[in-house]
Every structure is written in C-alpha cells, then in structure tokens.
Tab-separated table of all heavy atoms in Angstrom:
chain	number	residue	atom	x	y	z
A	1009	LYS	N	-0.110	15.093	14.377
A	1009	LYS	CA	0.013	15.990	15.545
A	1009	LYS	C	1.459	16.470	15.669
A	1009	LYS	O	1.708	17.634	15.972
A	1009	LYS	CB	-0.433	15.296	16.806
A	1009	LYS	CG	-1.905	15.100	16.941
A	1009	LYS	CD	-2.259	14.484	18.288
A	1009	LYS	CE	-3.734	14.340	18.437
A	1009	LYS	NZ	-4.082	13.742	19.737
A	1010	MET	N	2.391	15.574	15.490
A	1010	MET	CA	3.794	15.897	15.685
A	1010	MET	C	4.245	17.013	14.727
A	1010	MET	O	4.925	17.953	15.106
A	1010	MET	CB	4.670	14.685	15.477
A	1010	MET	CG	6.139	14.950	15.776
A	1010	MET	SD	7.319	13.580	15.514
A	1010	MET	CE	6.345	12.170	15.158
A	1011	ASN	N	3.844	16.886	13.453
A	1011	ASN	CA	4.250	17.844	12.414
A	1011	ASN	C	3.326	19.023	12.280
A	1011	ASN	O	3.589	19.941	11.508
A	1011	ASN	CB	4.411	17.118	11.072
A	1011	ASN	CG	5.498	16.068	11.125
A	1011	ASN	OD1	6.528	16.261	11.778
A	1011	ASN	ND2	5.275	14.952	10.481
A	1012	LYS	N	2.171	18.993	12.928
A	1012	LYS	CA	1.167	20.034	12.887
A	1012	LYS	C	0.590	20.231	11.471
A	1012	LYS	O	0.144	21.303	11.116
A	1012	LYS	CB	1.751	21.345	13.400
A	1012	LYS	CG	2.390	21.277	14.767
A	1012	LYS	CD	1.617	22.010	15.786
A	1012	LYS	CE	2.385	22.192	17.055
A	1012	LYS	NZ	2.227	21.261	18.060
A	1013	HIS	N	0.659	19.166	10.674
A	1013	HIS	CA	0.035	19.175	9.339
A	1013	HIS	C	-0.161	17.720	8.903
A	1013	HIS	O	0.319	16.798	9.548
A	1013	HIS	CB	0.849	19.988	8.332
A	1013	HIS	CG	2.228	19.484	8.129
A	1013	HIS	ND1	2.574	18.478	7.258
A	1013	HIS	CD2	3.399	19.867	8.733
A	1013	HIS	CE1	3.881	18.274	7.301
A	1013	HIS	NE2	4.414	19.080	8.174
A	1014	LEU	N	-0.888	17.554	7.811
A	1014	LEU	CA	-1.169	16.201	7.324
A	1014	LEU	C	0.107	15.509	6.900
A	1014	LEU	O	1.016	16.108	6.304
A	1014	LEU	CB	-2.115	16.255	6.118
A	1014	LEU	CG	-3.549	16.713	6.419
A	1014	LEU	CD1	-4.304	16.932	5.116
A	1014	LEU	CD2	-4.254	15.676	7.271
A	1015	PRO	N	0.183	14.177	7.140
A	1015	PRO	CA	1.341	13.420	6.647
A	1015	PRO	C	1.449	13.502	5.123
A	1015	PRO	O	0.444	13.516	4.424
A	1015	PRO	CB	1.069	11.988	7.073
A	1015	PRO	CG	0.056	12.103	8.184
A	1015	PRO	CD	-0.712	13.357	7.912
A	1016	ASN	N	2.651	13.579	4.610
A	1016	ASN	CA	2.944	13.660	3.175
A	1016	ASN	C	2.494	14.960	2.526
A	1016	ASN	O	2.489	15.085	1.296
A	1016	ASN	CB	2.350	12.470	2.401
A	1016	ASN	CG	2.884	11.158	2.875
A	1016	ASN	OD1	4.068	11.070	3.214
A	1016	ASN	ND2	2.086	10.119	2.886
A	1017	ILE	N	2.119	15.914	3.334
A	1017	ILE	CA	1.732	17.252	2.782
A	1017	ILE	C	2.709	18.246	3.421
A	1017	ILE	O	2.937	18.245	4.647
A	1017	ILE	CB	0.296	17.655	3.187
A	1017	ILE	CG1	-0.726	16.627	2.693
A	1017	ILE	CG2	-0.034	19.058	2.687
A	1017	ILE	CD1	-0.946	16.614	1.209
A	1018	LYS	N	3.328	19.066	2.611
A	1018	LYS	CA	4.284	20.044	3.135
A	1018	LYS	C	3.571	21.047	4.035
A	1018	LYS	O	2.407	21.377	3.811
A	1018	LYS	CB	4.975	20.771	1.996
A	1018	LYS	CG	5.863	19.889	1.146
A	1018	LYS	CD	6.413	20.605	-0.063
A	1018	LYS	CE	7.152	19.661	-0.945
A	1018	LYS	NZ	7.463	20.228	-2.270
A	1019	SER	N	4.314	21.539	5.021
A	1019	SER	CA	3.727	22.572	5.888
A	1019	SER	C	3.700	23.896	5.127
A	1019	SER	O	4.372	24.096	4.124
A	1019	SER	CB	4.595	22.702	7.145
A	1019	SER	OG	5.832	23.258	6.823
A	1020	ALA	N	2.952	24.820	5.652
A	1020	ALA	CA	2.857	26.162	5.051
A	1020	ALA	C	4.216	26.810	4.988
A	1020	ALA	O	4.570	27.467	3.986
A	1020	ALA	CB	1.875	27.028	5.854
A	1021	SER	N	5.011	26.649	6.046
A	1021	SER	CA	6.345	27.262	6.043
A	1021	SER	C	7.270	26.660	4.976
A	1021	SER	O	8.080	27.377	4.400
A	1021	SER	CB	6.981	27.162	7.433
A	1021	SER	OG	7.106	25.817	7.799
A	1022	GLU	N	7.088	25.349	4.701
A	1022	GLU	CA	7.864	24.741	3.630
A	1022	GLU	C	7.500	25.324	2.262
A	1022	GLU	O	8.350	25.603	1.460
A	1022	GLU	CB	7.701	23.232	3.636
A	1022	GLU	CG	8.351	22.501	4.802
A	1022	GLU	CD	8.040	21.031	4.830
A	1022	GLU	OE1	6.842	20.677	4.873
A	1022	GLU	OE2	9.011	20.218	4.779
A	1023	TYR	N	6.204	25.515	2.058
A	1023	TYR	CA	5.752	26.128	0.787
A	1023	TYR	C	6.254	27.556	0.679
A	1023	TYR	O	6.640	27.992	-0.372
A	1023	TYR	CB	4.225	26.081	0.673
A	1023	TYR	CG	3.693	24.726	0.233
A	1023	TYR	CD1	2.888	23.986	1.068
A	1023	TYR	CD2	3.998	24.212	-1.003
A	1023	TYR	CE1	2.389	22.750	0.668
A	1023	TYR	CE2	3.512	22.970	-1.436
A	1023	TYR	CZ	2.729	22.248	-0.557
A	1023	TYR	OH	2.275	21.030	-0.953
A	1024	GLU	N	6.262	28.270	1.772
A	1024	GLU	CA	6.760	29.640	1.779
A	1024	GLU	C	8.252	29.685	1.420
A	1024	GLU	O	8.716	30.507	0.651
A	1024	GLU	CB	6.547	30.330	3.113
A	1024	GLU	CG	5.095	30.701	3.366
A	1024	GLU	CD	4.881	31.282	4.763
A	1024	GLU	OE1	5.881	31.585	5.468
A	1024	GLU	OE2	3.734	31.403	5.175
A	1025	ALA	N	9.010	28.724	1.978
A	1025	ALA	CA	10.438	28.644	1.741
A	1025	ALA	C	10.748	28.314	0.278
A	1025	ALA	O	11.682	28.869	-0.333
A	1025	ALA	CB	11.083	27.650	2.658
A	1026	ILE	N	9.933	27.440	-0.310
A	1026	ILE	CA	10.115	27.019	-1.713
A	1026	ILE	C	9.732	28.204	-2.638
A	1026	ILE	O	10.370	28.458	-3.636
A	1026	ILE	CB	9.277	25.795	-2.049
A	1026	ILE	CG1	9.759	24.600	-1.281
A	1026	ILE	CG2	9.286	25.494	-3.544
A	1026	ILE	CD1	8.863	23.372	-1.354
A	1027	GLY	N	8.673	28.893	-2.238
A	1027	GLY	CA	8.227	30.056	-3.024
A	1027	GLY	C	7.219	29.723	-4.109
A	1027	GLY	O	6.580	30.632	-4.644
A	1028	THR	N	7.069	28.468	-4.453
A	1028	THR	CA	6.053	28.067	-5.452
A	1028	THR	C	5.313	26.853	-4.945
A	1028	THR	O	5.806	26.121	-4.102
A	1028	THR	CB	6.707	27.707	-6.787
A	1028	THR	OG1	7.571	26.631	-6.596
A	1028	THR	CG2	7.456	28.895	-7.397
A	1029	VAL	N	4.137	26.664	-5.521
A	1029	VAL	CA	3.329	25.511	-5.174
A	1029	VAL	C	3.016	24.755	-6.470
A	1029	VAL	O	2.515	25.343	-7.424
A	1029	VAL	CB	1.992	25.933	-4.498
A	1029	VAL	CG1	1.128	24.743	-4.201
A	1029	VAL	CG2	2.304	26.712	-3.231
A	1030	ASP	N	3.326	23.464	-6.513
A	1030	ASP	CA	2.949	22.629	-7.642
A	1030	ASP	C	1.490	22.206	-7.383
A	1030	ASP	O	1.213	21.290	-6.606
A	1030	ASP	CB	3.875	21.404	-7.714
A	1030	ASP	CG	3.557	20.525	-8.900
A	1030	ASP	OD1	2.474	20.704	-9.544
A	1030	ASP	OD2	4.361	19.624	-9.206
A	1031	ILE	N	0.579	22.903	-8.055
A	1031	ILE	CA	-0.846	22.681	-7.825
A	1031	ILE	C	-1.242	21.232	-8.139
A	1031	ILE	O	-2.036	20.638	-7.393
A	1031	ILE	CB	-1.684	23.665	-8.703
A	1031	ILE	CG1	-1.398	25.115	-8.259
A	1031	ILE	CG2	-3.176	23.361	-8.580
A	1031	ILE	CD1	-1.764	25.420	-6.831
A	1032	ASN	N	-0.726	20.660	-9.231
A	1032	ASN	CA	-1.051	19.290	-9.558
A	1032	ASN	C	-0.637	18.314	-8.467
A	1032	ASN	O	-1.385	17.455	-8.082
A	1032	ASN	CB	-0.432	18.877	-10.912
A	1032	ASN	CG	-1.064	19.588	-12.083
A	1032	ASN	OD1	-2.256	19.926	-12.022
A	1032	ASN	ND2	-0.281	19.825	-13.125
A	1033	GLU	N	0.584	18.491	-7.962
A	1033	GLU	CA	1.081	17.629	-6.884
A	1033	GLU	C	0.209	17.773	-5.644
A	1033	GLU	O	-0.189	16.814	-5.026
A	1033	GLU	CB	2.514	18.003	-6.554
A	1033	GLU	CG	3.082	17.209	-5.371
A	1033	GLU	CD	4.436	17.754	-4.914
A	1033	GLU	OE1	5.079	18.480	-5.657
A	1033	GLU	OE2	4.819	17.394	-3.779
A	1034	LEU	N	-0.129	19.021	-5.298
A	1034	LEU	CA	-0.914	19.292	-4.107
A	1034	LEU	C	-2.324	18.695	-4.275
A	1034	LEU	O	-2.851	18.087	-3.336
A	1034	LEU	CB	-0.995	20.796	-3.844
A	1034	LEU	CG	-1.758	21.233	-2.603
A	1034	LEU	CD1	-1.141	20.588	-1.341
A	1034	LEU	CD2	-1.732	22.735	-2.456
A	1035	GLN	N	-2.907	18.853	-5.445
A	1035	GLN	CA	-4.269	18.291	-5.681
A	1035	GLN	C	-4.243	16.751	-5.587
A	1035	GLN	O	-5.162	16.195	-5.000
A	1035	GLN	CB	-4.791	18.733	-7.063
A	1035	GLN	CG	-5.265	20.163	-7.080
A	1035	GLN	CD	-5.835	20.548	-8.420
A	1035	GLN	OE1	-5.412	20.022	-9.452
A	1035	GLN	NE2	-6.794	21.445	-8.393
A	1036	LEU	N	-3.213	16.130	-6.103
A	1036	LEU	CA	-3.105	14.663	-5.996
A	1036	LEU	C	-2.981	14.222	-4.534
A	1036	LEU	O	-3.607	13.248	-4.121
A	1036	LEU	CB	-1.939	14.148	-6.823
A	1036	LEU	CG	-2.121	14.192	-8.319
A	1036	LEU	CD1	-0.806	13.829	-9.025
A	1036	LEU	CD2	-3.245	13.281	-8.761
A	1037	LYS	N	-2.176	14.928	-3.791
A	1037	LYS	CA	-2.009	14.586	-2.384
A	1037	LYS	C	-3.286	14.820	-1.603
A	1037	LYS	O	-3.689	14.014	-0.714
A	1037	LYS	CB	-0.827	15.309	-1.771
A	1037	LYS	CG	0.502	14.788	-2.263
A	1037	LYS	CD	1.658	15.460	-1.606
A	1037	LYS	CE	2.957	14.861	-2.135
A	1037	LYS	NZ	4.130	15.357	-1.405
A	1038	LEU	N	-4.005	15.888	-1.890
A	1038	LEU	CA	-5.247	16.180	-1.217
A	1038	LEU	C	-6.330	15.150	-1.592
A	1038	LEU	O	-7.095	14.719	-0.736
A	1038	LEU	CB	-5.723	17.599	-1.517
A	1038	LEU	CG	-4.902	18.720	-0.917
A	1038	LEU	CD1	-5.356	20.085	-1.386
A	1038	LEU	CD2	-4.925	18.648	0.616
A	1039	LEU	N	-6.321	14.734	-2.854
A	1039	LEU	CA	-7.234	13.676	-3.278
A	1039	LEU	C	-6.965	12.384	-2.504
A	1039	LEU	O	-7.884	11.679	-2.066
A	1039	LEU	CB	-7.147	13.443	-4.768
A	1039	LEU	CG	-8.013	12.343	-5.333
A	1039	LEU	CD1	-9.502	12.578	-5.041
A	1039	LEU	CD2	-7.780	12.188	-6.814
A	1040	GLU	N	-5.714	12.087	-2.310
A	1040	GLU	CA	-5.309	10.919	-1.511
A	1040	GLU	C	-5.873	11.011	-0.114
A	1040	GLU	O	-6.398	10.049	0.424
A	1040	GLU	CB	-3.786	10.830	-1.466
A	1040	GLU	CG	-3.245	9.661	-0.672
A	1040	GLU	CD	-1.728	9.688	-0.569
A	1040	GLU	OE1	-1.049	9.995	-1.563
A	1040	GLU	OE2	-1.210	9.382	0.526
A	1041	LYS	N	-5.787	12.192	0.474
A	1041	LYS	CA	-6.310	12.401	1.836
A	1041	LYS	C	-7.811	12.252	1.855
A	1041	LYS	O	-8.395	11.695	2.806
A	1041	LYS	CB	-5.880	13.769	2.402
A	1041	LYS	CG	-4.377	13.918	2.560
A	1041	LYS	CD	-3.837	12.830	3.474
A	1041	LYS	CE	-2.328	12.835	3.428
A	1041	LYS	NZ	-1.785	11.661	4.084
A	1042	VAL	N	-8.512	12.752	0.835
A	1042	VAL	CA	-9.986	12.585	0.760
A	1042	VAL	C	-10.327	11.134	0.683
A	1042	VAL	O	-11.268	10.666	1.333
A	1042	VAL	CB	-10.523	13.371	-0.485
A	1042	VAL	CG1	-11.986	13.014	-0.719
A	1042	VAL	CG2	-10.391	14.877	-0.253
A	1043	GLU	N	-9.578	10.366	-0.119
A	1043	GLU	CA	-9.846	8.923	-0.244
A	1043	GLU	C	-9.612	8.230	1.109
A	1043	GLU	O	-10.425	7.376	1.496
A	1043	GLU	CB	-8.941	8.314	-1.305
A	1043	GLU	CG	-9.338	8.744	-2.715
A	1043	GLU	CD	-8.345	8.251	-3.770
A	1043	GLU	OE1	-7.245	7.754	-3.429
A	1043	GLU	OE2	-8.703	8.376	-4.970
A	1044	GLU	N	-8.548	8.590	1.830
A	1044	GLU	CA	-8.296	8.017	3.125
A	1044	GLU	C	-9.432	8.321	4.097
A	1044	GLU	O	-9.879	7.460	4.828
A	1044	GLU	CB	-6.995	8.560	3.718
A	1044	GLU	CG	-5.741	8.047	3.013
A	1044	GLU	CD	-4.480	8.732	3.515
A	1044	GLU	OE1	-4.521	9.521	4.489
A	1044	GLU	OE2	-3.406	8.500	2.926
A	1045	LEU	N	-9.894	9.549	4.064
A	1045	LEU	CA	-11.014	9.935	4.959
A	1045	LEU	C	-12.306	9.222	4.583
A	1045	LEU	O	-13.064	8.812	5.442
A	1045	LEU	CB	-11.223	11.455	4.910
A	1045	LEU	CG	-10.151	12.267	5.645
A	1045	LEU	CD1	-10.337	13.775	5.310
A	1045	LEU	CD2	-10.193	12.048	7.109
A	1046	THR	N	-12.530	9.023	3.289
A	1046	THR	CA	-13.698	8.305	2.832
A	1046	THR	C	-13.677	6.857	3.343
A	1046	THR	O	-14.671	6.366	3.846
A	1046	THR	CB	-13.813	8.340	1.304
A	1046	THR	OG1	-13.904	9.713	0.884
A	1046	THR	CG2	-15.035	7.579	0.801
A	1047	LEU	N	-12.523	6.201	3.207
A	1047	LEU	CA	-12.410	4.862	3.698
A	1047	LEU	C	-12.588	4.765	5.209
A	1047	LEU	O	-13.233	3.838	5.719
A	1047	LEU	CB	-11.054	4.242	3.286
A	1047	LEU	CG	-10.858	4.011	1.791
A	1047	LEU	CD1	-9.413	3.594	1.483
A	1047	LEU	CD2	-11.823	2.991	1.259
A	1048	HIS	N	-12.039	5.753	5.894
A	1048	HIS	CA	-12.225	5.804	7.353
A	1048	HIS	C	-13.697	5.985	7.717
A	1048	HIS	O	-14.199	5.313	8.643
A	1048	HIS	CB	-11.373	6.954	7.919
A	1048	HIS	CG	-11.451	7.085	9.387
A	1048	HIS	ND1	-10.945	6.152	10.271
A	1048	HIS	CD2	-11.948	8.065	10.179
A	1048	HIS	CE1	-11.143	6.532	11.516
A	1048	HIS	NE2	-11.760	7.707	11.459
A	1049	THR	N	-14.380	6.817	6.988
A	1049	THR	CA	-15.799	7.043	7.258
A	1049	THR	C	-16.636	5.778	6.987
A	1049	THR	O	-17.551	5.436	7.740
A	1049	THR	CB	-16.334	8.214	6.377
A	1049	THR	OG1	-15.604	9.393	6.680
A	1049	THR	CG2	-17.802	8.466	6.597
A	1050	ILE	N	-16.294	5.060	5.966
A	1050	ILE	CA	-16.973	3.783	5.622
A	1050	ILE	C	-16.768	2.794	6.765
A	1050	ILE	O	-17.713	2.149	7.203
A	1050	ILE	CB	-16.497	3.236	4.273
A	1050	ILE	CG1	-17.003	4.140	3.151
A	1050	ILE	CG2	-16.973	1.778	4.080
A	1050	ILE	CD1	-16.367	3.832	1.793
A	1051	ARG	N	-15.532	2.685	7.246
A	1051	ARG	CA	-15.271	1.764	8.359
A	1051	ARG	C	-16.037	2.170	9.611
A	1051	ARG	O	-16.614	1.321	10.316
A	1051	ARG	CB	-13.755	1.745	8.678
A	1051	ARG	CG	-12.927	0.932	7.717
A	1051	ARG	CD	-11.507	0.697	8.207
A	1051	ARG	NE	-10.762	1.946	8.370
A	1051	ARG	CZ	-10.027	2.517	7.437
A	1051	ARG	NH1	-9.968	1.983	6.231
A	1051	ARG	NH2	-9.404	3.654	7.670
A	1052	GLN	N	-16.087	3.487	9.858
A	1052	GLN	CA	-16.844	3.962	11.033
A	1052	GLN	C	-18.324	3.644	10.875
A	1052	GLN	O	-18.984	3.235	11.836
A	1052	GLN	CB	-16.674	5.478	11.172
A	1052	GLN	CG	-15.351	5.870	11.760
A	1052	GLN	CD	-15.244	7.391	11.893
A	1052	GLN	OE1	-15.706	8.139	11.043
A	1052	GLN	NE2	-14.621	7.809	12.992
A	1053	GLN	N	-18.865	3.797	9.680
A	1053	GLN	CA	-20.299	3.555	9.450
A	1053	GLN	C	-20.600	2.074	9.681
A	1053	GLN	O	-21.630	1.745	10.271
A	1053	GLN	CB	-20.720	3.957	8.033
A	1053	GLN	CG	-22.194	3.967	7.825
A	1053	GLN	CD	-22.972	4.862	8.782
A	1053	GLN	OE1	-22.547	5.977	9.071
A	1053	GLN	NE2	-24.074	4.365	9.302
A	1054	LYS	N	-19.714	1.201	9.229
A	1054	LYS	CA	-19.917	-0.227	9.464
A	1054	LYS	C	-19.905	-0.549	10.956
A	1054	LYS	O	-20.736	-1.299	11.436
A	1054	LYS	CB	-18.840	-1.044	8.743
A	1054	LYS	CG	-19.022	-1.087	7.252
A	1054	LYS	CD	-17.912	-1.874	6.579
A	1054	LYS	CE	-18.091	-1.875	5.076
A	1054	LYS	NZ	-16.980	-2.593	4.383
A	1055	GLU	N	-18.993	0.093	11.681
A	1055	GLU	CA	-18.928	-0.113	13.123
A	1055	GLU	C	-20.175	0.410	13.807
A	1055	GLU	O	-20.713	-0.201	14.733
A	1055	GLU	CB	-17.677	0.557	13.703
A	1055	GLU	CG	-17.485	0.300	15.182
A	1055	GLU	CD	-16.219	0.869	15.704
A	1055	GLU	OE1	-15.328	1.301	14.937
A	1055	GLU	OE2	-16.066	0.920	16.965
A	1056	ILE	N	-20.690	1.559	13.350
A	1056	ILE	CA	-21.918	2.138	13.896
A	1056	ILE	C	-23.090	1.143	13.728
A	1056	ILE	O	-23.882	0.927	14.642
A	1056	ILE	CB	-22.224	3.510	13.280
A	1056	ILE	CG1	-21.224	4.535	13.794
A	1056	ILE	CG2	-23.661	3.918	13.547
A	1056	ILE	CD1	-21.275	5.866	13.044
A	1057	GLU	N	-23.199	0.551	12.508
A	1057	GLU	CA	-24.273	-0.370	12.259
A	1057	GLU	C	-24.176	-1.595	13.189
A	1057	GLU	O	-25.188	-2.030	13.719
A	1057	GLU	CB	-24.252	-0.811	10.796
A	1057	GLU	CG	-24.586	0.278	9.805
A	1057	GLU	CD	-25.921	0.945	10.057
A	1057	GLU	OE1	-26.889	0.233	10.376
A	1057	GLU	OE2	-26.017	2.168	9.977
A	1058	VAL	N	-22.983	-2.111	13.405
A	1058	VAL	CA	-22.800	-3.242	14.315
A	1058	VAL	C	-23.215	-2.828	15.735
A	1058	VAL	O	-23.949	-3.569	16.435
A	1058	VAL	CB	-21.352	-3.730	14.308
A	1058	VAL	CG1	-21.070	-4.703	15.435
A	1058	VAL	CG2	-20.999	-4.368	12.975
A	1059	LEU	N	-22.809	-1.646	16.147
A	1059	LEU	CA	-23.142	-1.174	17.510
A	1059	LEU	C	-24.640	-0.938	17.663
A	1059	LEU	O	-25.203	-1.190	18.710
A	1059	LEU	CB	-22.342	0.082	17.834
A	1059	LEU	CG	-20.838	-0.102	18.007
A	1059	LEU	CD1	-20.136	1.236	18.118
A	1059	LEU	CD2	-20.545	-0.952	19.202
A	1060	LYS	N	-25.295	-0.461	16.593
A	1060	LYS	CA	-26.747	-0.266	16.660
A	1060	LYS	C	-27.456	-1.582	16.840
A	1060	LYS	O	-28.389	-1.698	17.649
A	1060	LYS	CB	-27.266	0.408	15.373
A	1060	LYS	CG	-27.040	1.883	15.284
A	1060	LYS	CD	-27.615	2.417	13.982
A	1060	LYS	CE	-27.487	3.885	13.844
A	1060	LYS	NZ	-28.048	4.368	12.545
A	1061	LYS	N	-27.027	-2.609	16.100
A	1061	LYS	CA	-27.653	-3.945	16.238
A	1061	LYS	C	-27.420	-4.474	17.638
A	1061	LYS	O	-28.331	-5.046	18.249
A	1061	LYS	CB	-27.079	-4.897	15.193
A	1061	LYS	CG	-27.558	-4.619	13.810
A	1061	LYS	CD	-26.950	-5.585	12.792
A	1061	LYS	CE	-27.358	-5.262	11.389
A	1061	LYS	NZ	-26.705	-6.152	10.395
A	1062	GLU	N	-26.191	-4.330	18.151
A	1062	GLU	CA	-25.886	-4.767	19.504
A	1062	GLU	C	-26.734	-4.026	20.521
A	1062	GLU	O	-27.283	-4.632	21.450
A	1062	GLU	CB	-24.415	-4.570	19.764
A	1062	GLU	CG	-23.943	-5.098	21.099
A	1062	GLU	CD	-22.454	-4.884	21.295
A	1062	GLU	OE1	-21.670	-5.337	20.435
A	1062	GLU	OE2	-22.073	-4.298	22.343
A	1063	ASN	N	-26.856	-2.738	20.360
A	1063	ASN	CA	-27.656	-1.927	21.280
A	1063	ASN	C	-29.117	-2.339	21.235
A	1063	ASN	O	-29.768	-2.442	22.297
A	1063	ASN	CB	-27.506	-0.434	20.895
A	1063	ASN	CG	-28.166	0.465	21.915
A	1063	ASN	OD1	-28.238	0.131	23.079
A	1063	ASN	ND2	-28.573	1.625	21.448
A	1064	LYS	N	-29.641	-2.614	20.045
A	1064	LYS	CA	-31.046	-3.050	19.914
A	1064	LYS	C	-31.235	-4.380	20.619
A	1064	LYS	O	-32.234	-4.564	21.365
A	1064	LYS	CB	-31.381	-3.153	18.443
A	1064	LYS	CG	-32.846	-3.437	18.183
A	1064	LYS	CD	-33.129	-3.398	16.696
A	1064	LYS	CE	-34.603	-3.666	16.440
A	1064	LYS	NZ	-34.916	-3.622	14.992
A	1065	ALA	N	-30.300	-5.324	20.446
A	1065	ALA	CA	-30.415	-6.635	21.093
A	1065	ALA	C	-30.338	-6.481	22.618
A	1065	ALA	O	-31.093	-7.142	23.332
A	1065	ALA	CB	-29.323	-7.554	20.568
A	1066	LEU	N	-29.431	-5.665	23.089
A	1066	LEU	CA	-29.325	-5.443	24.540
A	1066	LEU	C	-30.570	-4.774	25.105
A	1066	LEU	O	-31.016	-5.114	26.200
A	1066	LEU	CB	-28.058	-4.615	24.843
A	1066	LEU	CG	-26.735	-5.343	24.612
A	1066	LEU	CD1	-25.563	-4.376	24.753
A	1066	LEU	CD2	-26.554	-6.524	25.562
A	1067	SER	N	-31.119	-3.818	24.390
A	1067	SER	CA	-32.322	-3.155	24.844
A	1067	SER	C	-33.467	-4.140	24.922
A	1067	SER	O	-34.257	-4.122	25.900
A	1067	SER	CB	-32.711	-1.997	23.900
A	1067	SER	OG	-31.758	-0.970	23.966
A	1068	LYS	N	-33.571	-4.996	23.950
A	1068	LYS	CA	-34.612	-6.030	23.944
A	1068	LYS	C	-34.435	-6.947	25.148
A	1068	LYS	O	-35.379	-7.301	25.834
A	1068	LYS	CB	-34.556	-6.817	22.630
A	1068	LYS	CG	-35.623	-7.855	22.505
A	1068	LYS	CD	-35.534	-8.536	21.155
A	1068	LYS	CE	-36.586	-9.616	21.017
A	1068	LYS	NZ	-36.503	-10.335	19.749
A	1069	ARG	N	-33.180	-7.340	25.404
A	1069	ARG	CA	-32.874	-8.210	26.513
A	1069	ARG	C	-33.241	-7.546	27.836
A	1069	ARG	O	-33.788	-8.160	28.721
A	1069	ARG	CB	-31.412	-8.588	26.501
A	1069	ARG	CG	-30.979	-9.515	27.579
A	1069	ARG	CD	-31.549	-10.926	27.376
A	1069	ARG	NE	-31.029	-11.771	28.424
A	1069	ARG	CZ	-31.783	-12.589	29.139
A	1069	ARG	NH1	-33.044	-12.735	28.861
A	1069	ARG	NH2	-31.230	-13.318	30.077
A	1070	ILE	N	-32.947	-6.274	27.988
A	1070	ILE	CA	-33.253	-5.542	29.234
A	1070	ILE	C	-34.773	-5.499	29.412
A	1070	ILE	O	-35.268	-5.715	30.542
A	1070	ILE	CB	-32.674	-4.103	29.180
A	1070	ILE	CG1	-31.153	-4.172	29.334
A	1070	ILE	CG2	-33.263	-3.235	30.260
A	1070	ILE	CD1	-30.429	-2.857	29.085
A	1071	LYS	N	-35.517	-5.264	28.359
A	1071	LYS	CA	-36.987	-5.220	28.473
A	1071	LYS	C	-37.539	-6.576	28.900
A	1071	LYS	O	-38.449	-6.664	29.732
A	1071	LYS	CB	-37.624	-4.796	27.152
A	1071	LYS	CG	-37.480	-3.345	26.842
A	1071	LYS	CD	-38.101	-2.949	25.528
A	1071	LYS	CE	-37.859	-1.503	25.210
A	1071	LYS	NZ	-38.424	-1.085	23.952
A	1072	GLN	N	-36.911	-7.649	28.366
A	1072	GLN	CA	-37.344	-8.984	28.788
A	1072	GLN	C	-37.071	-9.231	30.257
A	1072	GLN	O	-37.905	-9.768	30.980
A	1072	GLN	CB	-36.611	-10.041	27.969
A	1072	GLN	CG	-37.075	-10.137	26.520
A	1072	GLN	CD	-36.206	-11.115	25.713
A	1072	GLN	OE1	-35.104	-11.526	26.139
A	1072	GLN	NE2	-36.697	-11.440	24.536
A	1073	LEU	N	-35.903	-8.778	30.730
A	1073	LEU	CA	-35.573	-8.979	32.114
A	1073	LEU	C	-36.439	-8.121	33.026
A	1073	LEU	O	-36.809	-8.554	34.130
A	1073	LEU	CB	-34.083	-8.626	32.344
A	1073	LEU	CG	-33.082	-9.603	31.750
A	1073	LEU	CD1	-31.666	-9.038	31.855
A	1073	LEU	CD2	-33.152	-10.983	32.385
A	1074	ASP	N	-36.780	-6.907	32.586
A	1074	ASP	CA	-37.649	-6.005	33.372
A	1074	ASP	C	-39.052	-6.538	33.492
A	1074	ASP	O	-39.732	-6.296	34.480
A	1074	ASP	CB	-37.659	-4.611	32.762
A	1074	ASP	CG	-36.394	-3.823	33.044
A	1074	ASP	OD1	-35.616	-4.219	33.944
A	1074	ASP	OD2	-36.183	-2.781	32.362
A	1075	SER	N	-39.510	-7.244	32.494
A	1075	SER	CA	-40.905	-7.733	32.490
A	1075	SER	C	-41.063	-8.954	33.380
A	1075	SER	O	-42.193	-9.390	33.631
A	1075	SER	CB	-41.380	-8.027	31.078
A	1075	SER	OG	-40.628	-9.104	30.526
A	1076	LYS	N	-39.975	-9.554	33.854
A	1076	LYS	CA	-40.074	-10.748	34.722
A	1076	LYS	C	-40.375	-10.405	36.130
A	1076	LYS	O	-40.223	-9.493	36.740
A	1076	LYS	CB	-38.783	-11.559	34.619
A	1076	LYS	CG	-38.621	-12.231	33.300
A	1076	LYS	CD	-37.365	-13.066	33.275
A	1076	LYS	CE	-37.213	-13.762	31.920
A	1076	LYS	NZ	-36.086	-14.637	31.878
C-alpha cells in the first residue's frame, strides 16, 4: 500500500525512468509473487476447511439444544 505496487517489483515510473525492462528479471519476480499467492490461497483453504467443520459442529449443537 505504501509504495502503491508489489514489494520487490519496480513501479511503472521506475521502469519509465530506466527506459528498458529486463523481461527475465520481471518474469522471475512475477513468478515469485504467483508462488506467494498460491501459498496464501492454500493457507486460506485450510482455514476455510477448519471453519466449515467448526460451523457444522456448532450447527449440530444448536439443533440439539433446540430440540430439548
């Protein structure tokens, strides 16, 4: 947020100032970001599964309490 672009990725204005883009370097950095996002998504999915199980258990408990 502070830099208005991804960490370790040059801003558009920096690329404009340099005048050239090292495509290989940029692709490697973008691949790194894709890997980071993939790992983040995996962590989120694991958390979702835990929350689903918890939700299911709580729903079951509520039904048991309602039936009393």
